[in-house]
Each structure stands twice: as C-alpha cells, then as structure tokens.
Amino acid sequence: MFEVTVEDTFAAGHYLRNYKGKCENPHGHNYRVRVTLAGQELDQAGLLLDFKNLREVMKPVIDRLDHQMINELEPFITLNPSAENLAKYFYDETNVRMKTQTNGRVFVKMVKIFETDETTATYFE
C-alpha cells in the first residue's frame, strides 16, 4: 500500500453550539488540513498521485471555507463546526473527488484538522 500526504491552510471563524465555555462565542482559527491518500497501484509515472493533483482536489473545499463564518455554510448550519466534523467534511468531499479522478485507484485514507499547532482532530474509515 502506498500513501501520499499534502497539507494546506485556511482561516475561518466558527462557534460551537451546545458548548459551555469560550468556544461558544464566535472566534477564528488559522486551520491546517492534512489529507493522506492511499492506494495499491502506482500510475505509469510511478506515482500514486501527483501532489499537485491532490492540492487541486483540496482547493475547492478550502476555498469554500476560507475567510468564512463556517456556521453559515452547509452542512454546518445545523452540524456543529467542530474540528472533528470538519475532518469528516474534508474526508467526504475530497474522497468523492479523488475516487472520480482516479477511477477508484486512489482513496482518502485520513484527514487531520489542526485548529492550532497543538490541537488536532482526525477522521478515517
């Protein structure tokens, strides 16, 4: 099994519903998202996937959230925009695009969201 990983960043605001503490108030993060892909077969160039292609798959998801109040965007109008839910959102959105682009040869293995350098949430299946 082969893996490749790409990280990117975005800045966004959010607040947590049903939470008692400072994070129930609107605030922002400089998020970092790490997407790891996996697959058993390399392409003709000997790559699982060009890093540039993974960045292109991640870009629409990042662009949708960057400099936004996440609570005002679907599915986070009703789904709490926790780091855990953001990790699953990135997983789902990038995995659909990745499977389509590679005819199922490559899939998202894991997504890690960094709210800070010391705090992360991970989603994988």
Side-chain angles (χ1 to χ4, degrees):
M1 185 70 67
F2 297 95
E3 292 182 4
V4 296
T5 301
V6 167
E7 287 188 16
D8 209 337
T9 60
F10 66 98
H14 77 145
Y15 56 89
L16 297 178
R17 300 176 199 91
N18 303 311
Y19 181 89
K20 298 300 177 207
K22 289 182 179 182
C23 293
E24 69 185 321
N25 298 313
H27 64 283
H29 296 283
N30 291 317
Y31 290 96
R32 188 163 31 120
V33 56
R34 178 183 295 161
V35 176
T36 299
L37 304 179
Q40 293 188 1
E41 298 176 27
L42 301 179
D43 67 12
Q44 291 179 337
L47 304 173
L48 181 64
L49 189 80
D50 191 316
F51 295 125
K52 175 185 67 146
N53 292 84
L54 177 50
R55 288 191 187 284
E56 289 170 359
V57 167
M58 294 168 63
K59 185 174 178 5
V61 186
I62 289 172
D63 286 350
R64 182 165 185 264
L65 300 175
D66 192 33
H67 285 79
Q68 299 296 317
M69 176 56 79
I70 297 172
N71 297 69
E72 298 173 358
L73 303 172
E74 286 293 346
F76 302 106
I77 291 171
T78 55
L79 182 66
N80 222 12
S82 63
E84 293 87 345
N85 284 331
L86 281 169
K88 183 174 186 325
Y89 174 75
F90 266 91
Y91 180 97
D92 291 342
E93 293 294 313
T94 55
N95 205 30
V96 167
R97 289 177 168 88
M98 189 53 52
K99 285 183 176 180
T100 301
Q101 184 180 23
T102 66
N103 295 317
R105 183 178 63 82
V106 178
F107 60 93
V108 176
K109 179 179 180 181
M110 177 177 59
V111 172
K112 185 177 293 262
I113 296 288
F114 295 74
E115 276 193 352
T116 71
D117 288 340
E118 296 87 22
T119 58
T120 66
T122 303
Y123 183 83
F124 61 93
E125 294 182 356

